Amino acid sequence: FVVILEGLNDSPLVATQIESIAVKIQEVLAKAYELTLATGSEGAGSRQHHCSASIGIALFGSQNLPSSELMKRADTAMYQAKAAGEGHHVYRGEDDTDFATRLQTVDELRTALTQDKLVVYYQPKIDLRTGEVRHVEALVRWEHPTRGLLYPDAFLDLVEEAGLMRGLTRVVLELALDQAVVWHADGRLLTIAVNLSASCLVDTDLPDEVIAMLADRNLPQGALRLEITEEFLMIDRNRARNVLTQLRSHGIQISIDDFGTGYSSLSYLRDLPIDELKLDRSFISPLTQDERTSALVASTIDLAHSLGLRMVAEGVESHLAYSKLARLGCDQAQGFWMSRPVPAAELDLWLGNRHPIDRQVDIAGERPTAASG
């Protein structure tokens, strides 16, 4: 939202006056409000909610600024307020150094979403019992015009801040499912996993859109798996349950990513339609050296199996970890020791040059055939 304040003079007190108005706006927005769910829907009734705001302030003053520049400055100040954890921030010239760059990056992201500058890499998941590859994870990359290939940690926070996550997720889904069509036509019946963010998980239109994407490509619903993290489940449990239940009822499997890093109740394992747990990489590195970690991993695998869930280990970077996970009964593993995330064409070559890994041979010390470094 934009607030325009007119009729202010150029006195030094103007900034103070505007900041006091910003504080009043924040106080109004911070008041609890009630949302009422319709009778007959799950969780019907009234609930209290709270809202907060980050406000960026730009002063027109006596300068002859075009409105676009004034808006740019207000945007810059808003990002400064967010980054500093402040409620509001008044634009200063020195803010341009970092935050103008952030705004430019957001504009470039918007362009990337519409001009095919996003690409998807794929990382295989190895079945630890048979050595087969039947599942891959889709991971987005950005072909930046000047900075080269960017990994998600370089831009996903900005995507979320700028409200572009829903658009990015749909682009990744389209690209991944288009690739699934190619693989299925070639006889590679791979399931592709795509990550969902919190903002997507509360999007009630998502299930219908995903189902339509599969139908448009004549793909079986089992061709897609969606990965979410524990913390996102806690944002709005009821809405998350509704979205996941709709997806699951159409054969789309659900995986919990980074499992073991959250502090939430495990009750969601009972309440939500989940098919798979992905053990966070922080448990994998110390697995072969620390007995407590080994015990935790073993008990987590047993927990998953007792609930009828698959267990996948991510971040496997050594033969020792791979072999230990196989002995503990983990179902699948992915990581740099087997293959880094690679473009689809490279994954085709990798798959064509390898043979199913015999579990006993691998435990004896041999590296997977044609593993990528």
Side-chain angles (χ1 to χ4, degrees):
F1 297 91
V2 177
V3 176
I4 300 174
L5 300 177
E6 298 180 311
L8 302 174
N9 57 41
D10 291 337
S11 75
L13 296 177
V14 168
T16 302
Q17 293 171 355
I18 294 176
E19 286 189 81
S20 69
I21 293 171
V23 169
K24 290 178 181 177
I25 292 173
Q26 288 170 312
E27 288 174 348
V28 170
L29 290 175
K31 291 180 180 178
Y33 61 93
E34 287 193 354
L35 290 181
T36 302
L37 299 179
T39 303
S41 63
E42 185 175 356
S46 297
R47 294 185 183 178
Q48 280 202 339
H49 293 265
H50 297 267
C51 184
S52 61
S54 297
I55 300 177
I57 300 169
L59 305 178
F60 182 83
S62 58
Q63 304 175 63
N64 188 24
L65 294 175
S67 59
S68 59
E69 178 61 24
L70 195 64
M71 290 293 293
K72 177 181 174 183
R73 292 185 177 189
D75 259 348
T76 299
M78 182 184 68
Y79 279 112
Q80 177 70 61
K82 285 185 177 183
E86 303 169 340
H88 62 272
H89 181 82
V90 179
Y91 172 87
R92 301 178 181 89
E94 59 267 23
D95 291 337
D96 278 339
T97 306
D98 293 325
F99 290 92
T101 301
R102 289 169 70 86
L103 289 174
Q104 179 182 343
T105 304
V106 169
D107 286 339
E108 291 169 343
L109 275 166
R110 290 193 175 99
T111 300
L113 286 170
T114 59
Q115 296 186 2
D116 299 327
K117 298 299 182 183
L118 296 178
V119 295
V120 173
Y121 278 36
Y122 300 90
Q123 187 173 36
K125 301 178 183 180
I126 315 296
D127 189 300
L128 288 169
R129 185 175 57 85
T130 66
E132 295 178 346
V133 175
R134 291 173 292 184
H135 310 273
V136 297
E137 180 177 1
L139 298 158
V140 67
R141 304 286 188 262
W142 179 14
E143 291 278 11
H144 192 276
T146 60
R147 296 162 62 189
L149 188 69
L150 299 182
Y151 285 58
D153 56 3
F155 60 89
L156 280 190
D157 285 346
L158 269 181
V159 169
E160 195 73 75
E161 280 184 21
L164 300 175
M165 186 59 77
R166 290 174 63 182
L168 181 141
T169 300
R170 280 156 177 76
V171 168
V172 173
L173 280 167
E174 297 274 358
L175 291 171
L177 293 177
D178 285 345
Q179 182 57 50
V181 171
V182 175
W183 278 330
H184 281 231
D186 290 341
R188 296 193 189 281
L189 304 182
L190 296 171
T191 296
I192 299 180
V194 174
N195 292 279
L196 288 187
S197 71
S199 52
C200 295
L201 194 59
V202 296
D203 179 2
T204 54
D205 294 330
L206 180 71
D208 289 339
E209 292 183 14
V210 171
I211 293 161
M213 287 182 191
L214 289 164
D216 288 345
R217 293 165 176 78
N218 199 27
L219 284 169
Q221 290 153 348
L224 178 65
R225 180 170 299 157
L226 297 174
E227 295 189 3
I228 56 180
T229 61
E230 288 181 277
E231 60 177 308
F232 292 162
L233 292 175
M234 300 301 106
I235 293 175
D236 189 332
R237 178 82 70 89
N238 286 332
R239 189 179 296 184
R241 181 189 294 110
N242 291 337
V243 170
L244 295 181
T245 298
Q246 289 183 62
L247 291 166
R248 190 66 187 82
S249 68
H250 285 83
I252 298 166
Q253 298 199 354
I254 308 298
S255 176
I256 304 299
D257 201 7
D258 302 333
F259 182 75
T261 58
Y263 297 95
S264 57
S265 166
L266 292 178
S267 62
Y268 70 81
L269 293 179
R270 177 197 63 199
D271 298 336
L272 298 178
I274 296 167
D275 302 280
E276 177 182 277
L277 302 179
K278 293 188 69 178
L279 188 64
D280 185 69
R281 65 183 61 246
S282 61
F283 291 93
I284 306 305
S285 178
L287 175 62
T288 60
Q289 301 169 343
D290 182 73
E291 291 184 3
R292 295 184 69 182
T293 299
S294 180
L296 280 171
V297 171
S299 61
T300 304
I301 293 171
D302 289 342
L303 171 66
H305 289 167
S306 69
L307 294 172
L309 307 176
R310 285 183 306 274
M311 175 60 73
V312 179
E314 54 185 343
V316 178
E317 299 185 4
S318 72
H319 161 258
L320 289 176
Y322 183 98
S323 301
K324 183 67 174 286
L325 288 163
R327 289 196 298 271
L328 292 175
C330 188
D331 299 296
Q332 297 173 10
Q334 67 183 104
F336 286 5
W337 188 68
M338 296 83 79
S339 173
R340 294 175 180 270
V342 293
E346 287 187 37
L347 184 63
D348 283 336
L349 291 174
W350 186 85
L351 291 168
N353 291 332
R354 71 185 293 275
H355 301 285
I357 304 164
D358 180 84
R359 178 180 173 189
Q360 299 304 320
V361 172
D362 184 59
I363 290 175
E366 292 190 15
R367 187 180 180 85
T369 306
S372 173

